[in-house]
């Protein structure tokens, strides 16, 4: 099993919460941005956490299951589903896990 990335510090989280996502994306050269078509469920929602990136094969969520059970508080799982929309990778049962 691969080692999880180190959690970012509480101090950095506090500082990052003061920034907009566009400032962060620009500072990182746009290498960490997602499609502009993705929208939050609510405009009031914000998250600052250590990303646990997961790359899955089209239509296969096995590695996503592994990430869910490997991660702990302080991580946010970011899944690259290769733009496949034939089925959901993540649903209610996985969210409860």
């Amino acid at each position: 099993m691969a080692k999880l990335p180190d959690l970012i510090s509480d101090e950095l989280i506090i500082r990052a919460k003061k920034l907009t996502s566009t400032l962060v994306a620009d500072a990182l050269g746009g290498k960490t941005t997602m499609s502009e078509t993705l929208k939050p469920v609510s405009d009031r929602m914000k998250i600052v956490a250590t990303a646990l990136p997961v790359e899955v094969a089209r239509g296969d969520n096995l590695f996503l299951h592994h990430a869910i059970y490997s991660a702990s508080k302080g991580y946010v799982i970011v899944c690259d589903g290769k733009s496949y929309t034939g089925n959901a990778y993540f649903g209610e049962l996985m969210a409860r896990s």
Side-chain angles (χ1 to χ4, degrees):
M1 178 166 84
K3 182 183 177 304
L4 296 176
D6 292 335
L7 286 172
I8 55 178
S9 69
D10 290 340
E11 176 189 355
L12 186 57
I13 289 174
I14 291 167
R15 291 174 61 197
K17 283 183 177 180
K18 297 175 183 175
L19 303 173
T20 64
S21 58
T22 52
L23 286 173
V24 174
D26 287 350
L28 296 171
K31 295 177 184 167
T32 60
T33 57
M34 295 168 35
S35 170
E36 73 283 351
T37 61
L38 295 174
K39 303 293 181 200
V41 175
S42 166
D43 289 339
R44 297 178 306 213
M45 296 176 73
K46 292 183 179 184
I47 186 167
V48 178
T50 302
L52 179 56
V54 178
E55 186 174 358
V56 297
R58 291 174 53 91
D60 182 357
N61 68 359
L62 177 62
F63 289 117
L64 188 53
H65 281 275
H66 181 71
I68 289 168
Y69 292 106
S70 297
S72 58
K73 182 177 179 179
Y75 290 96
V76 60
I77 297 171
V78 180
C79 181
D80 177 359
K82 309 290 184 275
S83 300
Y84 180 76
T85 59
N87 61 280
Y89 288 102
F90 186 89
E92 179 183 357
L93 295 177
M94 292 173 78
R96 290 183 185 275
S97 296

Coordinates of all heavy atoms in Angstrom, one line a residue:
M1 N 0.8 -1.2 0.0 CA 0.0 0.0 0.0 C 0.9 1.2 0.0 O 1.9 1.3 0.7 CB -0.9 0.0 1.2 CG -1.8 1.2 1.4 SD -3.1 1.1 2.6 CE -2.3 1.5 4.0
A2 N 0.5 2.2 -0.8 CA 1.3 3.4 -0.9 C 1.1 4.3 0.3 O 0.1 4.3 0.9 CB 0.9 4.2 -2.2
K3 N 2.1 5.1 0.7 CA 2.1 6.0 1.8 C 1.2 7.2 1.5 O 1.3 7.7 0.4 CB 3.5 6.4 2.2 CG 3.5 7.3 3.4 CD 5.0 7.8 3.6 CE 5.1 8.7 4.8 NZ 4.3 9.9 4.7
L4 N 0.3 7.6 2.4 CA -0.5 8.7 2.2 C 0.3 10.0 2.3 O 1.4 10.0 3.0 CB -1.6 8.8 3.3 CG -2.6 7.7 3.3 CD1 -3.5 7.9 4.5 CD2 -3.4 7.6 2.1
P5 N -0.1 11.0 1.5 CA 0.7 12.3 1.6 C 0.6 12.9 3.0 O -0.4 12.6 3.7 CB 0.0 13.2 0.6 CG -1.3 12.6 0.3 CD -1.2 11.1 0.6
D6 N 1.6 13.6 3.5 CA 1.5 14.2 4.8 C 0.4 15.3 4.8 O 0.2 16.0 3.8 CB 2.9 15.0 5.1 CG 4.0 14.0 5.3 OD1 3.8 12.8 5.6 OD2 5.2 14.4 5.0
L7 N -0.3 15.3 5.9 CA -1.4 16.3 6.1 C -0.7 17.7 6.1 O 0.3 17.9 6.7 CB -2.1 16.1 7.4 CG -3.1 14.9 7.4 CD1 -3.6 14.7 8.8 CD2 -4.2 15.1 6.4
I8 N -1.5 18.7 5.5 CA -1.0 20.1 5.6 C -1.3 20.6 7.0 O -2.2 20.1 7.7 CB -1.6 20.9 4.5 CG1 -3.2 20.9 4.5 CG2 -1.1 20.6 3.1 CD1 -3.8 21.8 3.5
S9 N -0.5 21.5 7.4 CA -0.6 22.0 8.8 C -1.9 22.9 9.0 O -2.4 23.4 8.0 CB 0.6 22.9 9.2 OG 0.6 24.1 8.4
D10 N -2.3 22.9 10.3 CA -3.5 23.8 10.6 C -3.2 25.2 10.2 O -4.1 25.9 9.8 CB -3.9 23.6 12.1 CG -4.4 22.3 12.4 OD1 -4.9 21.6 11.5 OD2 -4.4 21.9 13.6
E11 N -2.0 25.7 10.4 CA -1.6 27.1 10.1 C -1.8 27.3 8.6 O -2.4 28.4 8.2 CB -0.2 27.3 10.5 CG 0.3 28.7 10.1 CD 1.8 28.9 10.3 OE1 2.5 28.0 10.8 OE2 2.3 30.0 9.9
L12 N -1.4 26.4 7.8 CA -1.5 26.6 6.3 C -3.0 26.5 5.9 O -3.4 27.3 5.1 CB -0.8 25.5 5.6 CG -0.7 25.7 4.1 CD1 -0.1 27.0 3.7 CD2 0.1 24.6 3.4
I13 N -3.8 25.7 6.6 CA -5.2 25.7 6.3 C -5.9 27.0 6.6 O -6.7 27.5 5.8 CB -5.9 24.5 7.1 CG1 -5.5 23.2 6.5 CG2 -7.4 24.7 7.0 CD1 -6.0 22.0 7.2
I14 N -5.6 27.6 7.7 CA -6.1 28.9 8.1 C -5.7 29.9 7.1 O -6.6 30.8 6.7 CB -5.6 29.3 9.5 CG1 -6.3 28.4 10.6 CG2 -5.9 30.7 9.8 CD1 -5.7 28.4 12.0
R15 N -4.5 29.9 6.7 CA -4.0 30.9 5.7 C -4.7 30.7 4.3 O -5.1 31.6 3.6 CB -2.5 30.8 5.5 CG -1.8 31.3 6.8 CD -0.3 31.1 6.7 NE 0.3 31.9 5.5 CZ 1.5 31.6 5.0 NH1 2.3 30.7 5.6 NH2 1.9 32.3 4.0
A16 N -4.8 29.4 3.9 CA -5.4 29.1 2.6 C -6.9 29.5 2.5 O -7.4 29.8 1.5 CB -5.2 27.6 2.3
K17 N -7.6 29.4 3.6 CA -9.0 29.7 3.7 C -9.3 31.1 3.3 O -10.4 31.5 2.9 CB -9.6 29.4 5.0 CG -9.9 27.9 5.3 CD -10.5 27.6 6.6 CE -10.8 26.2 6.8 NZ -11.5 25.9 8.1
K18 N -8.3 32.0 3.4 CA -8.4 33.4 3.1 C -8.2 33.7 1.6 O -8.5 34.8 1.2 CB -7.4 34.2 3.9 CG -7.6 34.1 5.4 CD -6.5 34.8 6.2 CE -6.7 34.7 7.7 NZ -5.6 35.3 8.4
L19 N -7.8 32.7 0.9 CA -7.6 32.9 -0.5 C -8.7 32.3 -1.4 O -9.5 31.5 -1.0 CB -6.3 32.1 -0.9 CG -5.0 32.5 -0.2 CD1 -3.9 31.5 -0.5 CD2 -4.6 33.9 -0.4
T20 N -8.8 32.8 -2.6 CA -9.8 32.3 -3.6 C -9.1 31.2 -4.3 O -7.9 31.0 -4.4 CB -10.2 33.4 -4.6 OG1 -9.0 33.8 -5.4 CG2 -10.8 34.6 -3.9
S21 N -9.9 30.3 -4.9 CA -9.4 29.2 -5.6 C -8.6 29.6 -6.9 O -7.7 29.0 -7.3 CB -10.5 28.2 -6.1 OG -11.5 28.9 -6.8
T22 N -9.0 30.8 -7.4 CA -8.3 31.3 -8.6 C -6.9 31.7 -8.3 O -5.9 31.5 -9.0 CB -9.1 32.4 -9.3 OG1 -9.4 33.4 -8.3 CG2 -10.3 31.9 -10.0
L23 N -6.7 32.3 -7.1 CA -5.4 32.7 -6.7 C -4.5 31.5 -6.5 O -3.3 31.5 -6.9 CB -5.4 33.5 -5.4 CG -6.0 34.9 -5.5 CD1 -6.1 35.5 -4.1 CD2 -5.0 35.8 -6.3
V24 N -5.0 30.5 -5.8 CA -4.3 29.2 -5.6 C -3.9 28.6 -7.0 O -2.8 28.2 -7.2 CB -5.0 28.3 -4.7 CG1 -4.3 26.9 -4.6 CG2 -5.3 28.9 -3.3
A25 N -4.9 28.5 -7.9 CA -4.6 27.9 -9.2 C -3.6 28.6 -9.9 O -2.7 28.0 -10.5 CB -5.9 27.8 -10.0
D26 N -3.6 30.0 -9.9 CA -2.6 30.8 -10.6 C -1.2 30.6 -10.0 O -0.2 30.5 -10.7 CB -3.0 32.3 -10.5 CG -4.1 32.6 -11.5 OD1 -4.5 31.8 -12.3 OD2 -4.6 33.8 -11.3
A27 N -1.2 30.5 -8.7 CA 0.1 30.3 -8.0 C 0.7 29.0 -8.3 O 1.9 28.8 -8.3 CB -0.1 30.5 -6.5
L28 N -0.1 28.0 -8.6 CA 0.4 26.7 -8.9 C 0.5 26.4 -10.4 O 0.6 25.3 -10.9 CB -0.6 25.6 -8.3 CG -0.6 25.6 -6.8 CD1 -1.6 24.7 -6.3 CD2 0.8 25.2 -6.2
G29 N 0.3 27.5 -11.2 CA 0.5 27.4 -12.6 C -0.6 26.7 -13.3 O -0.5 26.2 -14.5
G30 N -1.8 26.6 -12.7 CA -2.9 25.9 -13.3 C -2.8 24.4 -13.4 O -3.7 23.7 -14.0
K31 N -1.8 23.8 -12.8 CA -1.6 22.4 -12.9 C -2.5 21.6 -12.0 O -2.6 20.4 -12.1 CB -0.2 22.1 -12.5 CG 0.9 22.6 -13.4 CD 2.3 22.4 -13.0 CE 3.2 23.1 -13.9 NZ 4.6 23.1 -13.4
T32 N -3.2 22.2 -11.1 CA -4.1 21.5 -10.1 C -5.6 21.8 -10.3 O -6.4 21.6 -9.4 CB -3.7 21.9 -8.7 OG1 -3.8 23.3 -8.5 CG2 -2.2 21.5 -8.4
T33 N -5.9 22.4 -11.4 CA -7.3 22.9 -11.6 C -8.2 21.8 -12.2 O -7.7 20.9 -12.9 CB -7.4 24.1 -12.5 OG1 -6.8 23.8 -13.8 CG2 -6.6 25.3 -11.9
M34 N -9.5 21.9 -11.9 CA -10.5 21.0 -12.4 C -11.3 21.7 -13.5 O -11.2 23.0 -13.6 CB -11.3 20.5 -11.3 CG -10.5 19.6 -10.3 SD -11.3 19.2 -8.7 CE -13.0 18.9 -9.1
S35 N -12.2 21.0 -14.1 CA -13.0 21.6 -15.2 C -13.9 22.7 -14.6 O -14.4 22.6 -13.5 CB -13.9 20.6 -15.8 OG -14.9 21.1 -16.6
E36 N -14.0 23.8 -15.3 CA -14.9 24.9 -14.8 C -16.4 24.5 -14.8 O -17.2 25.2 -14.3 CB -14.7 26.1 -15.7 CG -15.3 26.1 -17.1 CD -14.5 25.2 -18.1 OE1 -13.4 24.8 -17.8 OE2 -15.0 25.0 -19.2
T37 N -16.7 23.4 -15.4 CA -18.1 23.0 -15.4 C -18.5 22.3 -14.0 O -19.7 22.2 -13.8 CB -18.4 21.9 -16.5 OG1 -17.6 20.8 -16.3 CG2 -18.1 22.5 -17.9
L38 N -17.5 22.0 -13.2 CA -17.9 21.5 -11.9 C -18.3 22.6 -11.0 O -17.6 23.6 -10.9 CB -16.6 20.8 -11.3 CG -16.2 19.5 -12.0 CD1 -14.9 19.0 -11.4 CD2 -17.3 18.4 -11.9
K39 N -19.3 22.5 -10.3 CA -19.9 23.5 -9.4 C -20.1 23.0 -8.0 O -20.5 21.8 -7.9 CB -21.2 24.1 -10.0 CG -21.0 24.6 -11.4 CD -20.2 25.9 -11.5 CE -20.1 26.4 -12.9 NZ -18.9 27.2 -13.1
P40 N -20.0 23.8 -7.0 CA -20.3 23.3 -5.6 C -21.8 23.1 -5.5 O -22.6 23.7 -6.2 CB -19.8 24.5 -4.8 CG -19.8 25.7 -5.6 CD -19.5 25.2 -7.0
V41 N -22.2 22.3 -4.5 CA -23.6 22.1 -4.2 C -24.2 23.4 -3.6 O -25.3 23.7 -3.9 CB -23.7 21.0 -3.2 CG1 -25.2 20.8 -2.7 CG2 -23.2 19.7 -3.7
S42 N -23.4 24.2 -2.9 CA -23.8 25.4 -2.3 C -22.6 26.4 -2.5 O -21.5 26.0 -2.3 CB -24.1 25.2 -0.9 OG -24.2 26.5 -0.2
D43 N -22.9 27.7 -2.7 CA -21.9 28.7 -2.8 C -21.2 29.0 -1.5 O -20.2 29.6 -1.4 CB -22.5 30.0 -3.3 CG -22.9 29.9 -4.8 OD1 -22.3 29.0 -5.5 OD2 -23.7 30.7 -5.3
R44 N -21.9 28.5 -0.4 CA -21.3 28.7 1.0 C -20.3 27.7 1.3 O -19.6 27.8 2.4 CB -22.4 28.7 2.0 CG -23.4 29.9 1.8 CD -24.5 29.8 2.8 NE -25.1 28.5 2.7 CZ -26.3 28.2 3.0 NH1 -27.2 29.2 3.3 NH2 -26.8 27.0 2.9
M45 N -20.1 26.6 0.5 CA -19.2 25.5 0.9 C -17.8 25.8 0.4 O -17.6 26.3 -0.7 CB -19.7 24.2 0.2 CG -21.0 23.8 0.6 SD -21.6 22.3 -0.3 CE -20.5 21.1 0.4
K46 N -16.9 25.6 1.3 CA -15.4 25.7 1.1 C -14.7 24.6 1.7 O -15.2 24.1 2.8 CB -14.9 27.1 1.6 CG -15.4 28.3 0.9 CD -14.7 29.5 1.4 CE -15.2 30.7 0.6 NZ -14.6 31.9 1.0
I47 N -13.6 24.2 1.2 CA -12.8 23.1 1.8 C -11.4 23.4 1.5 O -11.0 23.8 0.5 CB -13.2 21.7 1.2 CG1 -12.5 20.6 2.0 CG2 -12.9 21.6 -0.3 CD1 -13.0 19.3 1.7
V48 N -10.6 23.2 2.6 CA -9.1 23.3 2.5 C -8.6 22.1 3.2 O -8.9 21.9 4.4 CB -8.6 24.6 3.2 CG1 -7.1 24.6 3.1 CG2 -9.1 25.8 2.5
A49 N -8.0 21.2 2.5 CA -7.5 19.9 3.1 C -6.4 19.4 2.3 O -6.0 19.9 1.2 CB -8.6 18.9 3.2
T50 N -5.8 18.3 2.7 CA -4.7 17.6 2.0 C -5.4 16.7 1.0 O -6.3 15.9 1.3 CB -3.9 16.8 2.9 OG1 -3.3 17.6 3.9 CG2 -2.8 16.1 2.1
A51 N -5.1 16.9 -0.3 CA -5.7 16.1 -1.3 C -5.1 14.7 -1.4 O -3.9 14.5 -1.3 CB -5.5 16.7 -2.7
L52 N -5.9 13.7 -1.6 CA -5.5 12.3 -1.8 C -6.0 12.0 -3.2 O -7.1 11.6 -3.4 CB -6.1 11.4 -0.8 CG -5.8 9.9 -0.9 CD1 -4.3 9.7 -0.9 CD2 -6.4 9.1 0.2
P53 N -5.1 12.2 -4.2 CA -5.6 12.0 -5.6 C -5.7 10.5 -5.9 O -4.9 9.7 -5.5 CB -4.4 12.6 -6.4 CG -3.3 12.7 -5.5 CD -3.8 12.7 -4.1
V54 N -6.7 10.2 -6.6 CA -7.0 8.8 -7.0 C -7.3 8.8 -8.5 O -8.2 9.5 -9.0 CB -8.2 8.2 -6.3 CG1 -8.5 6.8 -6.7 CG2 -8.0 8.3 -4.8
E55 N -6.6 8.0 -9.3 CA -6.8 7.8 -10.7 C -7.4 6.4 -10.9 O -6.8 5.4 -10.5 CB -5.4 7.9 -11.4 CG -5.6 7.9 -12.9 CD -4.3 8.1 -13.6 OE1 -3.3 8.4 -13.0 OE2 -4.3 8.1 -14.9
V56 N -8.5 6.4 -11.5 CA -9.2 5.1 -11.8 C -9.3 4.8 -13.2 O -9.3 5.7 -14.1 CB -10.6 5.1 -11.1 CG1 -10.5 5.3 -9.6 CG2 -11.5 6.2 -11.7
A57 N -9.5 3.5 -13.6 CA -9.8 3.2 -14.9 C -11.2 3.5 -15.3 O -12.1 3.6 -14.4 CB -9.6 1.7 -15.1
R58 N -11.5 3.8 -16.5 CA -12.9 4.2 -16.9 C -13.9 3.2 -16.4 O -13.8 2.0 -16.7 CB -13.0 4.3 -18.4 CG -12.2 5.5 -19.0 CD -12.1 5.5 -20.5 NE -13.4 5.4 -21.1 CZ -14.2 6.5 -21.4 NH1 -13.8 7.7 -21.2 NH2 -15.4 6.3 -22.0
G59 N -14.9 3.6 -15.6 CA -15.9 2.8 -15.1 C -15.6 1.9 -13.9 O -16.4 1.1 -13.5
D60 N -14.4 1.9 -13.4 CA -13.9 1.1 -12.4 C -13.5 1.9 -11.1 O -12.7 2.7 -11.2 CB -12.7 0.3 -12.8 CG -12.2 -0.7 -11.8 OD1 -12.7 -0.8 -10.7 OD2 -11.2 -1.5 -12.1
N61 N -14.2 1.6 -10.0 CA -13.9 2.4 -8.8 C -13.2 1.7 -7.7 O -13.2 2.1 -6.6 CB -15.2 3.0 -8.2 CG -16.2 2.0 -7.7 OD1 -15.9 0.8 -7.7 ND2 -17.3 2.4 -7.2
L62 N -12.5 0.6 -8.1 CA -11.7 -0.2 -7.1 C -10.7 0.7 -6.3 O -10.7 0.6 -5.0 CB -11.0 -1.3 -7.8 CG -10.1 -2.2 -6.8 CD1 -11.0 -2.9 -5.8 CD2 -9.4 -3.2 -7.6
F63 N -9.9 1.5 -7.0 CA -8.9 2.3 -6.3 C -9.6 3.4 -5.4 O -9.0 3.8 -4.4 CB -7.9 2.9 -7.2 CG -7.0 1.8 -7.8 CD1 -7.0 1.5 -9.1 CD2 -6.2 1.1 -7.0 CE1 -6.1 0.6 -9.7 CE2 -5.3 0.1 -7.5 CZ -5.3 -0.1 -8.8
L64 N -10.8 3.8 -5.8 CA -11.5 4.8 -5.0 C -11.9 4.1 -3.6 O -11.8 4.7 -2.6 CB -12.7 5.3 -5.7 CG -13.5 6.4 -5.1 CD1 -12.7 7.6 -4.8 CD2 -14.6 6.8 -6.1
H65 N -12.4 2.9 -3.7 CA -12.7 2.1 -2.5 C -11.4 2.1 -1.6 O -11.5 2.3 -0.4 CB -13.1 0.7 -2.8 CG -14.6 0.6 -3.2 ND1 -15.6 0.5 -2.3 CD2 -15.1 0.6 -4.5 CE1 -16.7 0.4 -3.0 NE2 -16.5 0.4 -4.3
H66 N -10.3 1.7 -2.2 CA -9.1 1.6 -1.4 C -8.7 3.0 -0.7 O -8.4 3.0 0.4 CB -7.9 1.2 -2.3 CG -6.6 1.1 -1.7 ND1 -6.4 0.0 -0.8 CD2 -5.5 1.8 -1.7 CE1 -5.1 0.2 -0.3 NE2 -4.6 1.2 -0.9
A67 N -8.9 4.1 -1.5 CA -8.6 5.4 -0.9 C -9.5 5.7 0.3 O -9.1 6.3 1.3 CB -8.8 6.5 -2.0
I68 N -10.8 5.4 0.1 CA -11.8 5.7 1.2 C -11.4 5.0 2.5 O -11.4 5.6 3.6 CB -13.2 5.2 0.8 CG1 -13.7 6.2 -0.3 CG2 -14.1 5.2 2.0 CD1 -15.0 5.7 -1.0
Y69 N -10.9 3.8 2.4 CA -10.6 3.0 3.6 C -9.1 3.3 4.1 O -8.8 3.0 5.2 CB -10.8 1.5 3.4 CG -12.3 1.3 3.3 CD1 -12.9 1.0 2.1 CD2 -13.1 1.4 4.5 CE1 -14.3 0.7 2.0 CE2 -14.5 1.1 4.4 CZ -15.0 0.8 3.2 OH -16.4 0.6 3.1
S70 N -8.3 4.0 3.2 CA -7.0 4.3 3.6 C -6.9 5.7 4.2 O -6.1 6.0 5.1 CB -6.1 4.3 2.4 OG -6.0 3.0 1.9
A71 N -7.7 6.6 3.8 CA -7.7 8.0 4.2 C -8.3 8.1 5.7 O -8.9 7.2 6.2 CB -8.5 8.9 3.3
S72 N -8.0 9.2 6.3 CA -8.5 9.5 7.6 C -8.9 11.0 7.6 O -8.7 11.7 6.6 CB -7.4 9.2 8.7 OG -6.2 9.9 8.4
K73 N -9.3 11.5 8.8 CA -9.7 12.9 8.9 C -8.6 13.8 8.5 O -7.4 13.6 8.8 CB -10.0 13.1 10.4 CG -10.5 14.5 10.7 CD -10.8 14.7 12.1 CE -11.3 16.2 12.3 NZ -11.7 16.4 13.7
G74 N -8.9 14.8 7.7 CA -7.9 15.8 7.2 C -7.6 15.6 5.7 O -7.0 16.5 5.1
Y75 N -8.1 14.5 5.1 CA -7.9 14.3 3.7 C -9.2 14.5 2.9 O -10.2 14.3 3.4 CB -7.4 12.8 3.4 CG -6.0 12.5 3.9 CD1 -5.8 12.0 5.1 CD2 -4.9 12.9 3.1 CE1 -4.5 11.7 5.6 CE2 -3.6 12.6 3.6 CZ -3.5 12.0 4.8 OH -2.2 11.7 5.3
V76 N -9.0 15.0 1.7 CA -10.1 15.0 0.8 C -9.7 14.2 -0.5 O -8.6 14.3 -1.0 CB -10.5 16.5 0.4 CG1 -9.4 17.2 -0.3 CG2 -11.7 16.5 -0.5
I77 N -10.6 13.3 -0.9 CA -10.3 12.4 -2.0 C -10.7 13.1 -3.3 O -11.8 13.6 -3.4 CB -11.0 11.0 -1.9 CG1 -10.5 10.3 -0.6 CG2 -10.8 10.2 -3.1 CD1 -11.3 9.1 -0.2
V78 N -9.7 13.2 -4.2 CA -10.0 13.8 -5.5 C -9.8 12.7 -6.6 O -8.7 12.1 -6.7 CB -9.0 14.9 -5.8 CG1 -9.3 15.6 -7.2 CG2 -9.1 16.0 -4.7
C79 N -10.9 12.3 -7.3 CA -10.9 11.2 -8.2 C -10.9 11.7 -9.6 O -11.7 12.5 -10.0 CB -12.1 10.3 -7.9 SG -12.2 8.9 -8.9
D80 N -9.9 11.1 -10.4 CA -9.9 11.3 -11.9 C -10.6 10.1 -12.5 O -10.0 9.1 -12.6 CB -8.4 11.5 -12.3 CG -8.3 11.6 -13.8 OD1 -9.3 11.6 -14.5 OD2 -7.2 11.8 -14.3
G81 N -11.8 10.4 -13.0 CA -12.6 9.3 -13.6 C -12.5 9.3 -15.1 O -13.3 8.6 -15.8
K82 N -11.5 10.0 -15.7 CA -11.3 10.0 -17.2 C -12.5 10.5 -18.0 O -12.8 10.0 -19.0 CB -10.9 8.6 -17.6 CG -9.7 8.0 -16.9 CD -8.5 8.7 -17.1 CE -7.3 8.1 -16.5 NZ -7.1 8.5 -15.1
S83 N -13.3 11.4 -17.4 CA -14.5 11.9 -18.0 C -15.5 10.9 -18.4 O -16.4 11.1 -19.2 CB -14.1 12.7 -19.3 OG -13.3 13.8 -19.0
Y84 N -15.4 9.7 -17.8 CA -16.4 8.6 -18.1 C -17.7 8.9 -17.3 O -17.7 9.2 -16.1 CB -15.8 7.3 -17.6 CG -16.8 6.1 -17.9 CD1 -16.9 5.6 -19.2 CD2 -17.5 5.5 -16.8 CE1 -17.8 4.6 -19.4 CE2 -18.3 4.5 -17.1 CZ -18.5 4.0 -18.3 OH -19.3 2.9 -18.6
T85 N -18.8 8.9 -18.0 CA -20.1 9.2 -17.3 C -21.1 8.1 -17.5 O -22.3 8.3 -17.2 CB -20.7 10.5 -17.9 OG1 -20.9 10.3 -19.3 CG2 -19.8 11.7 -17.7
G86 N -20.6 6.9 -17.8 CA -21.5 5.7 -18.0 C -22.1 5.2 -16.7 O -23.2 4.6 -16.7
N87 N -21.4 5.5 -15.6 CA -21.9 5.1 -14.3 C -21.3 6.0 -13.2 O -20.3 6.6 -13.5 CB -21.7 3.6 -14.0 CG -20.2 3.3 -14.0 OD1 -19.6 3.1 -15.1 ND2 -19.6 3.2 -12.8
A88 N -21.8 6.0 -12.0 CA -21.3 6.8 -10.9 C -20.1 6.0 -10.3 O -20.1 4.8 -10.2 CB -22.3 7.0 -9.9
Y89 N -19.1 6.7 -9.9 CA -17.9 6.1 -9.2 C -18.2 6.1 -7.7 O -17.6 5.3 -7.0 CB -16.7 7.0 -9.5 CG -16.1 6.8 -10.9 CD1 -16.3 7.7 -11.8 CD2 -15.4 5.6 -11.2 CE1 -15.8 7.6 -13.1 CE2 -14.9 5.5 -12.5 CZ -15.1 6.4 -13.4 OH -14.6 6.3 -14.6
F90 N -19.0 7.1 -7.2 CA -19.2 7.3 -5.8 C -20.6 7.5 -5.5 O -21.3 8.3 -6.2 CB -18.4 8.6 -5.5 CG -18.3 8.9 -4.0 CD1 -17.3 8.3 -3.2 CD2 -19.2 9.7 -3.4 CE1 -17.2 8.6 -1.9 CE2 -19.1 10.0 -2.1 CZ -18.1 9.5 -1.3
G91 N -21.1 6.8 -4.5 CA -22.5 7.0 -4.1 C -22.7 7.0 -2.6 O -21.8 7.2 -1.9
E92 N -24.0 6.8 -2.2 CA -24.3 7.0 -0.8 C -23.6 6.0 0.1 O -23.1 6.4 1.2 CB -25.9 6.8 -0.7 CG -26.3 6.9 0.8 CD -27.8 6.6 0.9 OE1 -28.5 6.4 -0.1 OE2 -28.3 6.7 2.0
L93 N -23.5 4.8 -0.3 CA -22.9 3.8 0.6 C -21.4 4.1 0.8 O -20.8 4.0 1.9 CB -23.0 2.4 0.0 CG -24.5 1.8 0.0 CD1 -24.5 0.5 -0.7 CD2 -25.0 1.8 1.4
M94 N -20.7 4.5 -0.3 CA -19.3 4.9 -0.2 C -19.2 6.2 0.7 O -18.3 6.3 1.4 CB -18.7 5.1 -1.6 CG -18.6 3.8 -2.3 SD -18.1 4.0 -4.0 CE -16.3 4.3 -3.8
A95 N -20.1 7.1 0.5 CA -20.1 8.3 1.3 C -20.2 8.0 2.8 O -19.5 8.6 3.7 CB -21.2 9.3 0.9
R96 N -21.0 7.1 3.1 CA -21.2 6.7 4.5 C -19.9 6.0 5.1 O -19.7 6.0 6.3 CB -22.4 5.8 4.7 CG -23.7 6.5 4.5 CD -24.9 5.6 4.7 NE -26.1 6.2 4.4 CZ -26.8 7.0 5.3 NH1 -26.3 7.2 6.5 NH2 -27.9 7.5 4.9
S97 N -19.1 5.4 4.2 CA -17.9 4.8 4.7 C -16.9 5.8 5.1 O -16.1 5.6 5.9 CB -17.3 3.9 3.5 OG -18.2 2.9 3.2

